[in-house]
Amino acid sequence: MQAVLDALTDEFMSTSVVKIRAGIPSTNRNTVALAACRELERRGLAEHTGCGARSTLRWRRTRHRPERTPSPMHVRCDHVHLRSRDAVAAARFYVDLFGAREIRRDGSPVVSRVTIELGGLTVFIEQAPEGTTPASAQPHLGIEHIGLGVEDIEQAYEHVRRHGIEIISGINEVNPRLRTVFIKGPDGAVIELLQRLAGS
């Protein structure tokens, strides 16, 4: 099937030409290529011209992108889960610096998890067990950074500077509609503060 799809172009071609281009053995009848073309047409990947007679049919790739089949699984963002050497201190960082709201603490007398609400997102901050390895140095695979939108990037920059937070980069003019600042968060987390201007 894939070989037949690869054989098709934007120009109409006969079934026999499709068969040759797809590398279907000459000993096979054209019906093999025809069946593949009809299946591709059913999937919205091919189209034909000509009447029902096999000898007059011509095939090409569709010039429109087929509609994506809706996923049967509907998802929503539920939470982000972080691990920390000091979950309470990490939660305090997000509360003090960004106005996050602490929702609850789990575990007693030793706190095992602090749950906060940060800019509309629920964040679980888990107390990591002894021996948990630190975050890999950038660049690394997986989550690269946390992005937090702000209204005024200069104000945000001065705010984190006054709090003595490590600033990875100053204000970056990424493009005329996007300005960013990167800072270091708890446990090696990289946090991007970004201001999207009108029209972005």
Side-chain angles (χ1 to χ4, degrees):
M1 186 75 66
Q2 185 62 48
V4 172
L5 179 60
D6 293 340
L8 296 175
T9 67
D10 290 337
E11 302 297 327
F12 284 109
M13 64 183 75
S14 68
T15 306
S16 58
V17 171
V18 173
K19 170 186 163 182
I20 293 168
R21 287 176 56 88
I24 298 173
S26 57
T27 54
N28 289 6
R29 302 172 69 85
N30 284 353
T31 51
V32 174
L34 179 62
C37 287
R38 288 197 184 281
E39 176 60 22
L40 290 170
E41 184 176 41
R42 188 186 69 80
R43 298 181 187 182
L45 300 173
E47 58 188 359
H48 78 271
T49 186
C51 64
R54 295 178 183 175
S55 60
T56 64
L57 290 177
R58 300 288 184 272
W59 300 92
R60 72 179 180 187
R61 284 177 177 261
T62 52
R63 294 191 173 181
H64 66 277
R65 197 179 290 254
E67 292 185 10
R68 180 175 296 178
T69 303
S71 170
M73 182 170 56
H74 301 286
V75 301
R76 61 181 176 81
C77 185
D78 186 85
H79 68 271
V80 169
H81 191 142
L82 305 178
R83 282 193 171 135
S84 175
R85 295 202 184 281
D86 188 335
V88 173
R92 191 180 307 116
F93 171 91
Y94 293 103
V95 169
D96 291 347
L97 194 64
F98 302 125
R101 179 173 62 91
E102 184 175 316
I103 298 173
R104 70 172 186 270
R105 297 185 183 189
D106 298 321
S108 179
V110 178
V111 175
S112 59
R113 175 187 290 180
V114 181
T115 301
I116 64 173
E117 183 270 323
L118 174 64
L121 178 66
T122 300
V123 181
F124 299 157
I125 306 177
E126 177 189 342
Q127 180 68 41
E130 290 294 329
T132 302
T133 58
S136 302
Q138 294 276 15
H140 57 73
L141 298 177
I143 296 177
E144 208 272 345
H145 65 266
I146 300 170
L148 302 175
V150 299
E151 296 296 323
D152 186 322
I153 199 70
E154 280 92 356
Q155 185 182 65
Y157 177 83
E158 286 302 317
H159 179 68
V160 296
R161 188 184 62 79
R162 284 196 305 271
H163 280 74
I165 306 302
E166 181 180 347
I167 298 173
I168 299 173
S169 72
I171 297 175
N172 304 298
E173 306 285 346
V174 179
N175 60 51
R177 297 187 179 90
L178 177 62
R179 308 173 76 201
T180 68
V181 170
F182 285 86
I183 66 173
K184 184 68 69 67
D187 306 292
V190 174
I191 300 170
E192 176 190 20
L193 305 176
L194 61 146
Q195 177 187 11
R196 295 189 185 277
L197 304 177
S200 59

